[in-house]
Amino acid sequence: METEKPNFEQGPIRPPSEAYSLLIRVTRNCTWNKCAFCHIYKGKRFEKRSVHEVKADIQAAKDIADEIKALSWRSGYAGEVTREVVEAIFRQPRQYNEQFRSIALWLYFGGKNVFLQDANSIVLKTSELVEILKFLKNKFPQVERVTSYGRSRTIARRKSVEELKELKEAGLTRLHVGLESGWDFLLQYMNKGVTAAEHIEAGAKVMESGIELSEYVILGLGGRRWWRQHAQQTAKVLNQISPHFIRLRSLKVLPQMPLQRRIDEGEFILQTEEEMIVEERLLIEGLNGINSTFLSDHILNLLMEVEGKLPEEKEKMLKIIDAFLALPPEEKLNFRLGKRAGIYNSMQDMSDPSLHRQVEELMQRLEAEAPGGVEGAISKIKETFL
């Protein structure tokens, strides 16, 4: 009789930068869960998992890792998790479940990064997180980076700098924080449940603790009405925090998001992609006196090549934006479709005649056959990214 395979629980999301990280679920869902621009946890209750549950999951992940390494030895690869070992696991879905596949990929890509799920795991008691982190490092001593989402309000109100230093000493290396905007009006309008002052206080605490800080900004969150204040005030808050990373996201509204009702009623007017790029330029222009790395590491962002170290690469990033804004309207549309369809990776790809022609032909087909033409197709493709 076949013995039951070890198993562990995983949540629905993680940052793109944690694509090849081991996912350990410390909490379920979101402590706030009221943001107008988010749909992920709506209708789900927040739960803290017990230390016992989380440690059991870490042990299950360790048991799976040991079994995969044993398979490597039996297959003649001396315990190394090679491409051949990973492919063998993926070819047998009945024998090796989703958790086995995720651990196999994790080990194949180095097995050094871990992400603690879900949306605000920093809300756990510091002593509980320390116990989890120490157990994790004991089971996987090769791990170098452990990260988690954390709400600014939670960090500002519930964590002292000393507690954050304890977490760093136990192994927490980076916190991902959803700044979204630095403008109090917009934070309230979107029901973010935090103020600009709390963002700054939380950011300062994390920076002082020595934990790496990633702050997320949402392009388009101000819509056509408030885009300028959104960009300017967000830059001001980021200038006061000077986080290690500024990560860009672009607003895409789905029907199940509370913000959709405000759009339907004409209260909130979405920006075009070009208007978001103008906003992005204003945001970058306003970032001064900081040493942050600006990253556009999400597929929803149109110009993912706009990345660089501040302040030295600021002008380089602005030039990329200006190059897009200088394109004729038909070439902007060509790039937007090509990028969304996966034909282009960056604007440089437009100079390849065969790729450009491929996008032109796709445009013609969509205008003739697809509901909503090219713009409708672009919108549908972007929905699949969420």
Side-chain angles (χ1 to χ4, degrees), residues 48 53 56 68 110 127 157 164 183 200 233 273 314 330 341 364 366:
K48 295 179 182 180
E53 280 182 285
I68 290 170
S127 59
R157 293 192 169 196
L164 292 170
W183 188 26
I200 294 167
Q233 295 302 316
E273 288 198 298
K314 181 174 179 176
E330 63 273 14
Q364 291 170 6
L366 290 172

Side-chain angles (χ1 to χ4, degrees), residues 195-352:
T195 65
E198 286 171 327
H199 274 319
I200 294 167
E201 181 183 354
K205 282 183 173 182
V206 176
M207 293 298 291
E208 186 179 345
S209 75
I211 294 172
E212 287 185 340
L213 177 61
S214 285
E215 294 278 5
Y216 290 75
V217 175
I218 300 180
L219 279 184
L221 197 65
R224 284 187 173 176
R225 192 172 298 169
W226 303 304
W227 70 272
R228 188 177 296 276
Q229 298 97 319
H230 169 46
Q232 291 171 336
Q233 295 302 316
T234 299
K236 286 181 181 179
V237 168
L238 288 168
N239 288 342
Q240 292 184 70
I241 299 172
S242 188
H244 297 90
F245 304 98
I246 298 168
R247 288 189 147 94
L248 206 62
R249 299 292 178 261
S250 297
L251 180 68
K252 174 61 182 172
V253 181
L254 298 177
Q256 58 268 46
M257 294 178 183
L259 185 57
Q260 182 64 57
R261 179 184 57 80
R262 298 177 184 177
I263 294 170
D264 294 340
E265 294 172 354
E267 181 182 310
F268 186 87
I269 304 170
L270 291 169
Q271 291 166 278
T272 65
E273 288 198 298
E274 182 176 350
E275 288 168 342
M276 285 191 195
I277 297 302
V278 173
E279 179 188 304
E280 181 178 2
R281 194 187 198 289
L282 185 61
L283 171 69
I284 295 172
E285 273 188 316
L287 296 172
N288 296 303
I290 61 176
N291 295 291
S292 303
T293 298
F294 190 92
L295 296 168
S296 191
D297 57 346
H298 194 282
I299 197 169
L300 267 177
N301 297 331
L302 182 62
L303 299 178
M304 293 182 72
E305 62 263 50
V306 179
E307 295 192 335
K309 187 78 173 66
L310 294 166
E312 53 264 40
E313 294 184 290
K314 181 174 179 176
E315 289 306 314
K316 180 201 79 172
M317 292 189 284
L318 292 176
K319 283 179 181 178
I320 295 171
I321 290 174
D322 289 341
F324 171 79
L325 294 175
L327 291 173
E330 63 273 14
E331 287 297 277
K332 285 176 183 162
L333 185 60
N334 180 288
F335 174 72
R336 289 174 54 224
L337 178 62
K339 176 67 167 60
R340 299 313 186 189
I343 299 169
Y344 299 145
N345 289 316
S346 69
M347 283 197 298
Q348 286 186 338
D349 293 337
M350 294 181 73
S351 61
D352 184 322

Side-chain angles (χ1 to χ4, degrees), residues 97-113:
N97 60 22
E98 181 183 349
Q99 282 72 22
F100 266 82
R101 297 192 291 273
S102 68
I103 295 285
L105 283 173
W106 178 59
L107 293 173
Y108 176 72
F109 285 105
K112 295 182 178 180
N113 301 331

